[in-house]
Amino acid sequence: MDKISLLQKRKKQLLDAGKQIRADINSLIDEDSFVELSSFSFSKNEFYGESAEGEGVVTGFATVCDYPFYIVAQNAAVLSGGVSKANCSKIEKCLNQAEKTSTPVIWILSSLGVQVGEGVNVLEGLASLILKASQMKGSIPQYLIVNGEVYGQISLLAGICDFTYFIDKKSVLCPNSPLVLSAKAGENHTKFAVGGIAGLENAHLATFTVKNFEEIKKSITEINELISKPIIDCDEMNASIPALDNKTESKALVEVFDKSSAIELGASYSTEVKCYLARVGGIAVAAVIFDGGDGVELTARNVRKMKDFAEFACCYGLPYVTFVNTLGIKSDLATNNSLVLKELGEYISILDCIDAAKISVVYGKAIGLGYTVFAAKSMGYDYCYAFANAKIALFDGVQGAEMEFSSDKKIDVGKLAVKYADENSDPINAAHGGYIDNIIQPSFVKQYLTASLQMLLK
């Protein structure tokens, strides 16, 4: 057989083995833009006696809406997407190129675990691969798509990548087999109940839940444009939001962001705290909105969500805006015996490392520690604003003051309660002390934010 015919035969063999994964890649990228790397990597699995075409993974680079990306896609059609030492080496080679060129990476994972028979070799390969992905965190954006079932150590990448996509009724992610986990629990759960969106509510892994690759493509493009172009022209800088004057609600606050620019992260968990990548007056920002009518109570879970988000903002130099409505730490035994103080301590450390603008807007309540961490000038905020109808106080009303001082017989509890409930809850008092830069009419908040962001640009 001549060399050309042999090449064509080998190409067909390779394409046949990766027909579905290449279709998935093509639905994500610009047409005919994919350039495959190490395509003729073949090794032999001694345990099964089968060849691993392309090492069971497709790597290369392409464009997504004209932006360059490196792509790592596990091929579940080859040994169930089993991870091997050769598999890891091929992926790491691709990551090295991404790191060298500062190009974002898209992971498309589908694997039932490691290839049987690899022994310690595959563990060394995984260690090297996971370390490389971790070293890139914070400098090169990484997007991970759970493209079916992902089991074993490779699932750790979901805890490293910046954005993780779960496809509805398809994605399952577990460090162990869901069948084993169900059996150990003495229950009969489906794989989706264990490793799907519902089963991972407390894991904080699913940044987005989507229906298909088309939605993923749109999302990746929007995020990449926001990070790549921190400032764009905008004709909405002086827009007002009349709805905020009538009733201050978190839903209306989203109108602060430029039209169609808001991208909510982690919408499926800790929903009382909403994290957005968006633009305000054409300037890219990371924004947190406390979404609680009477004030959000802080727990280890919702503080962790904010901490991860603040870390992303810090790494990519995004201005950090917080819309505050919080009562401080939740007052119950479970929260008291949790990691909430550790998480808050780490959050403050990350907040201090943010070199871009930090702006706080008290739109609801800032009570006790809720003010200290999220609105105090001494915490390092460049600008602190408060809505005219906001409440800033040491205690949330009469009951809080009475409970705090009920054991002190020398104190007139009644007078103290009135003082903290009424006098000191007005943001004017904080402004008198120089702690609030301005008390604003809610409908003009976007104008204040835009002006502040423009002044603080570096």
Side-chain angles (χ1 to χ4, degrees), residues 313-331:
C314 179
C315 290
Y316 292 98
L318 294 173
Y320 193 68
V321 182
T322 309
F323 294 92
V324 183
N325 183 22
T326 176
L327 306 176
I329 296 176
K330 188 174 184 178
S331 180

Side-chain angles (χ1 to χ4, degrees), residues 211-228:
K211 294 179 180 178
N212 48 47
F213 271 73
E214 285 70 25
E215 286 188 16
I216 296 172
K217 181 177 182 177
K218 181 175 182 293
S219 174
I220 290 176
T221 301
E222 290 173 345
I223 294 171
N224 193 63
E225 284 186 344
L226 191 142
I227 297 172
S228 302

Side-chain angles (χ1 to χ4, degrees), residues 402-422:
E402 288 179 342
M403 290 177 64
E404 185 71 19
F405 295 101
S406 60
S407 61
D408 193 335
K409 297 180 180 179
K410 294 181 180 180
I411 293 178
D412 187 330
V413 177
K415 289 183 179 180
L416 191 66
V418 172
K419 178 179 177 63
Y420 278 108
D422 298 324

